[in-house]
Amino acid sequence: MKITGIQTVVVNALYRNWIFVKVLTDQPGLYGWGEATLEWKTRAVVSTVEDLAPIVVGQDPMRIEHVMARMNRMSFWPLGIIGMTAASGIEQALWDIKGKALGVPVWELLGGQVRDKVRVYTHLKRGAGGPASTDDIGAFCDAAQETVEMGYDAIKLGFVPYTGYDAPLQSVLHVEKLAEAVRERLGWTVEIMTDFHGRPQSIDAAKAYIDAIAPIKPLFVEEPIPPGDVRAMADLARRVQVPLATGERLLTPREYADLAESRAVTYIQPDLAHCGGFSGGRRIAAIAEAANMGVAPHNPMGPVAGAVALQFDAATPNFVIQEEIVGVVPWFEEVCSLYPLQLTDGSWQIPRHPGLGIEIDEAVAEKHPFEQEIILSLHATLADGTVANW
């Protein structure tokens, strides 16, 4: 069997263009889907898929590790976030092809099912309302309650404002009041996570906000400081009483090995659209398991990325919980004629169709062509005009 071509299908959704990658083979009707969505870098990723095609076309799609080695090593330059995202989308599509060719779900190829369902969490109103203001505590709590009533028992919220090297007292007190109000509204049967987005620029600023949130006992605080400084993250972890998580902006097993060696976080959050697909994700999960760290994969993207995450989670022993935003646009499920992401009691069910268990309806996709996304980070400034981390 040979790969004969690679195509991309770009679908404009809320705040993102989903980038679906379609790998074609010389076997009639046999092809695979992957997703290479990267916020605000759509044109670059699509062009990089085209750049990688000459390295991939003509290869056997069943030799997934071999094809990944070609994309990484024959590119000479480190792929970086844009290159790794393009390669991840291609890699996922190869697993879809292999599962279809062998007549089994991808999770069967990853070692088999290790759980009966996959617990998930979502964002405020599944992200469909855009970034929520924390100024109106009552309205924020209403939105959180509405989200839980959609069928979730876990939710991730953004409590922390744009922040620099200090944490202004009034801001800290407001975050404390907001967190307490949300916990009181949702009760103790709902897991709450909070994403700092790496906004605090110092350990002390991050600690001030974490200490304010600690009484509501979040499952984890995500990216409390910008990613990349493992020593600082490990130092922070030892100074607070809340589990920390990071990983959405990390790409390689080496980066995760540094986290594991220092026990810097409780949970790692690889995104299979950026870290090398299933191949990279499996290596990263194994590194985390050796360090007694759980895996809570990142995924605020489209239906193919969701299907990929579900297959991975079904077969990963140290999986904990999966991020998702199914329904972020009203036609989310229409773009798929097969759709495995069914929510029951706060969890996804294990899929049984071969491959990823998904099929893209390209006619529906064509109704939502590429558009320039709204770049939310353009608003990330402090009161004095300093550019902040989004």
Side-chain angles (χ1 to χ4, degrees):
M1 190 190 309
K2 301 295 182 185
I3 297 170
T4 57
I6 304 177
Q7 301 172 354
T8 54
V9 177
V10 177
V11 178
N12 181 254
L14 184 68
Y15 301 121
R16 287 177 175 83
N17 285 297
W18 297 334
I19 305 172
F20 301 146
V21 179
K22 187 178 185 180
V23 175
L24 309 174
T25 75
D26 59 0
Q27 302 298 306
L30 182 58
Y31 52 84
W33 289 104
E35 183 167 337
T37 299
L38 180 62
E39 296 88 337
W40 317 323
K41 300 292 186 293
T42 302
R43 286 165 286 228
V45 173
V46 169
S47 295
T48 303
V49 171
E50 295 173 0
D51 288 338
L52 290 173
I55 298 174
V56 173
V57 171
Q59 298 302 304
D60 183 348
M62 305 290 273
R63 297 179 63 187
I64 299 172
E65 289 285 353
H66 176 71
V67 174
M68 279 297 289
R70 288 178 64 90
M71 288 192 287
N72 275 293
R73 297 172 187 170
M74 292 182 176
S75 294
F76 181 65
W77 296 101
L79 291 177
I81 182 56
I82 292 171
M84 282 294 289
T85 300
S88 297
I90 294 170
E91 191 268 2
Q92 296 164 12
L94 300 183
W95 285 96
D96 192 25
I97 289 170
K98 190 164 190 171
K100 289 174 180 175
L102 298 176
V104 297
V106 169
W107 55 255
E108 193 74 78
L109 305 175
L110 301 177
Q113 179 181 341
V114 297
R115 58 184 42 83
D116 297 326
K117 57 185 178 180
V118 169
R119 192 181 188 193
V120 301
Y121 71 89
T122 194
H123 297 250
L124 201 68
K125 299 178 75 172
R126 292 174 170 165
S133 172
T134 59
D135 295 338
D136 187 334
I137 292 178
F140 193 91
C141 290
D142 290 344
Q145 182 177 346
E146 182 182 337
T147 306
V148 170
E149 289 172 353
M150 293 177 182
Y152 296 92
D153 59 9
I155 186 172
K156 186 166 74 180
L157 304 169
F159 292 136
V160 173
Y162 298 131
T163 304
Y165 288 88
D166 65 328
L169 178 59
Q170 291 302 312
S171 294
V172 173
L173 293 175
H174 181 77
V175 167
E176 181 179 36
K177 185 177 180 181
L178 175 64
E180 289 175 350
V182 170
R183 175 55 80 190
E184 182 177 359
R185 177 70 68 88
L186 299 184
W188 292 97
T189 60
V190 176
E191 290 281 12
I192 298 174
M193 293 141 278
T194 182
D195 188 353
F196 281 24
H197 255 214
R199 289 177 174 179
Q201 285 287 139
S202 70
I203 293 174
D204 286 334
K207 182 178 184 300
Y209 285 115
I210 292 172
D211 289 347
I213 294 168
I216 74 166
K217 300 187 181 301
L219 178 62
F220 59 72
V221 169
E222 179 177 334
E223 281 198 339
I225 58 175
D229 190 339
V230 174
R231 290 177 62 188
M233 187 73 81
D235 184 13
L236 178 62
R238 287 154 181 71
R239 294 171 60 184
V240 297
Q241 301 301 311
V242 172
L244 305 183
T246 195
E248 72 175 84
R249 289 188 274 179
L250 304 180
L251 304 179
T252 66
R254 178 67 261 170
E255 292 171 295
Y256 286 94
D258 291 341
L259 285 174
E261 288 164 6
S262 63
R263 305 302 194 271
V265 295
T266 302
Y267 305 106
I268 53 115
Q269 299 174 290
D271 191 316
L272 301 189
H274 308 314
C275 72
F278 291 103
S279 302
R282 294 171 76 193
R283 289 179 172 86
I284 290 164
I287 289 168
E289 186 178 17
N292 298 310
M293 296 160 65
V295 181
H298 179 260
N299 169 42
M301 296 178 287
V304 179
V308 167
L310 175 54
Q311 298 286 339
F312 176 80
D313 302 341
T316 299
N318 54 331
F319 165 81
V320 177
I321 196 166
Q322 175 65 55
E323 178 180 21
E324 60 100 301
I325 53 170
V326 172
V328 67
V329 290
W331 41 267
F332 190 98
E333 297 184 23
E334 294 176 20
V335 79
C336 305
S337 57
L338 287 176
Y339 196 72
L341 309 180
Q342 302 300 325
L343 185 67
T344 304
D345 296 328
S347 297
W348 284 341
Q349 305 311 299
I350 305 300
R352 302 296 170 184
H353 287 93
L356 295 179
I358 198 168
E359 180 57 55
I360 294 300
D361 188 327
E362 296 187 57
V364 174
E366 288 179 0
K367 297 178 182 179
H368 306 280
F370 169 86
E371 293 182 21
Q372 174 59 54
E373 309 98 318
I374 298 172
I375 300 178
L376 299 174
S377 60
L378 294 179
H379 303 290
T381 56
L382 303 182
D384 64 359
T386 301
V387 176
N389 286 315
W390 176 57

